[in-house]
Amino acid sequence: MTFKSLCMTPQGIAFSIRIEDREHACLITGCALKRLYAFEGTTLDFEDVYRAYETEIHGVARKLISNGEAASPLVLRAPDFNLAEA
């Protein structure tokens, strides 16, 4: 799996992942990033939060894709993350 560069959007951060030679466009919403930020308890900006939790974010995206989510972009929202995953 390879990761491509990030793109800040008004909705959050767009990124893509490659799984088994297929590119998947993803977007983690600002609300989801705020939820991760709340777990961290620091004053990180969205890109810093994304970088700090990149492994978990990509893990959630892979899980959703493997469960059949086919939306493009795949939108990761706050409920997709819980304390156990963060």
Side-chain angles (χ1 to χ4, degrees):
M1 178 182 332
T2 60
F3 306 106
K4 290 197 170 186
S5 63
L6 306 178
C7 178
M8 296 294 294
T9 73
Q11 296 82 22
I13 295 180
F15 63 97
S16 63
I17 59 174
R18 181 174 291 278
I19 302 172
E20 297 177 3
D21 295 326
R22 185 164 176 214
E23 195 77 21
H24 297 272
C26 302
L27 172 77
I28 182 165
T29 65
C31 290
L33 289 163
K34 285 178 186 175
R35 182 170 186 151
L36 291 171
Y37 165 87
F39 294 151
E40 181 67 23
T42 64
T43 57
L44 300 172
D45 69 21
F46 279 169
E47 189 170 345
D48 289 338
V49 172
Y50 177 89
R51 294 282 183 209
Y53 287 95
E54 187 170 11
T55 300
E56 291 85 355
I57 292 167
H58 288 245
V60 169
R62 285 191 309 273
K63 181 179 174 182
L64 291 171
I65 291 165
S66 71
N67 287 340
E69 292 288 331
S72 186
L74 173 66
V75 178
L76 296 115
R77 294 179 167 78
D80 295 322
F81 297 88
N82 63 41
L83 189 55
E85 293 171 326

